[in-house]
Amino acid sequence: MNRQDRANAVDRDMAACLLPDAAVGALGRWWSENASVYADGTPGAHAVRYTPGRWAQITPWPAALASVLVGGDAAVSRADVTLAVSDALRREAFREALVTTFVWGKGKRGTPGGSGPATLAKILACDGLDTALASAVAALGEHGSQAAYAALHGRVPWLGPSFFTKFLYFTGTALTPADSSRPLILDRVLSRHLRRMAAAVGRANGHDPDGSIAAWVWSDGNWSPHRYGVYLSFMHAAAHQLAAGERWPSGASPDLLERALFTTAWQSSG
């Protein structure tokens, strides 16, 4: 059995096992602490703070975001971004949609390779950006989430999966994907959660006793379109798993699980 065969075996067992009991318990506690914030079963109220003045060099600047001339900080929620992206897509203003999702995703944080505004300026200056964004939007509606991911994967310098999946996620709230699995955000934090679960499954089934397969497939970035498809399948199934229990809202959307996993930790057994 080669490395890919072992990875496939771990993926199959993860799909069968889904979230371990420790994760289910931790997520149930998260919900009990956050139920009033996300009472509608979605993460729409999840807001981030950003400093508009730091983004003064960025154009086009979406009207849904606070003016760069306003001093101090502002806040923007997932619900706000959803409305802004929906409006931008109706006008085929794909750059505007990207800027909105990037600012929400970055917030007030910097990056190891430079500030958020500096990185975004480099992305907006890339040849082929408009074609790549338009292709991803079209692929989402015609072929589904994994195809939309493939349309952006490695296509635009500086725009990696941690941020273009945010663009896809909000685009998926405005459009109906061709498949049943709406796009979700995938970043390093979420990948590391999947890596921990995969490592535990791999030890149990004997296909990955040292965790090397889990580390390979759930790396810190540059996930393949296939891996993104595996991620979506797992997350949508895990959302159903939680909804069938008593400690998670029955009608919750899969992105609520994505939001919860991002901020939740649990002690692994074994």
Side-chain angles (χ1 to χ4, degrees):
M1 182 177 286
N2 63 31
R3 185 166 70 161
Q4 186 59 59
D5 291 335
R6 292 164 62 199
N8 293 341
V10 172
D11 287 342
R12 286 193 297 269
D13 282 359
M14 276 191 68
C17 297
L18 295 176
L19 296 166
D21 291 343
V24 171
L27 290 164
R29 290 188 293 274
W30 180 91
W31 175 246
S32 68
E33 296 167 359
N34 291 275
S36 61
V37 178
Y38 305 117
D40 63 352
T42 80
H46 171 211
V48 300
R49 298 196 65 78
Y50 64 104
T51 306
R54 291 187 61 226
W55 303 83
Q57 63 180 306
I58 299 301
T59 56
W61 186 249
L65 298 177
S67 170
V68 297
L69 301 178
V70 175
D73 293 344
V76 61
S77 69
R78 291 199 190 204
D80 296 331
V81 176
T82 295
L83 290 175
V85 169
S86 296
D87 175 67
L89 293 178
R90 281 193 294 270
R91 295 180 282 110
E92 296 188 352
F94 302 128
R95 284 175 173 251
E96 188 176 312
L98 176 65
V99 169
T100 307
T101 62
F102 195 98
V103 172
W104 175 84
K106 183 59 62 178
K108 292 173 65 68
R109 295 174 296 132
T111 63
S115 71
T119 301
L120 181 56
K122 293 176 182 177
I123 293 169
L124 293 171
C126 288
D127 292 336
L129 173 63
D130 298 292
T131 299
L133 295 177
S135 296
V137 173
L140 182 63
E142 296 172 7
H143 304 291
S145 299
Q146 186 173 329
Y149 183 99
L152 284 174
H153 183 245
R155 301 301 176 91
V156 181
W158 303 98
L159 183 59
S162 290
F163 278 91
F164 75 63
T165 57
K166 294 177 175 66
F167 173 82
L168 293 178
Y169 163 68
F170 285 107
T171 297
T173 64
L175 302 177
T176 301
D179 56 6
S180 60
S181 295
R182 288 185 177 273
L184 295 171
I185 297 167
L186 174 59
D187 59 18
R188 180 173 59 185
V189 173
L190 292 160
S191 182
R192 288 180 176 178
H193 277 305
L194 274 292
R195 186 191 309 170
R196 288 176 59 205
M197 288 185 272
V201 168
R203 286 193 301 271
N205 68 14
H207 291 300
D208 187 22
D210 62 357
S212 60
I213 296 296
W216 173 49
V217 298
W218 297 110
S219 60
D220 279 349
N222 199 32
W223 308 281
S224 69
H226 169 74
R227 186 53 35 191
Y228 186 63
V230 171
Y231 169 72
L232 292 183
S233 295
F234 179 88
M235 291 290 284
H236 281 259
H240 286 295
Q241 173 194 10
L242 287 172
E246 298 179 352
R247 301 185 63 186
W248 195 257
S250 59
S253 56
D255 52 346
L256 185 68
L257 171 58
E258 169 258 301
R259 169 61 184 152
L261 271 182
F262 187 86
T263 58
T264 301
W266 63 89
Q267 184 66 42
S268 300
S269 60

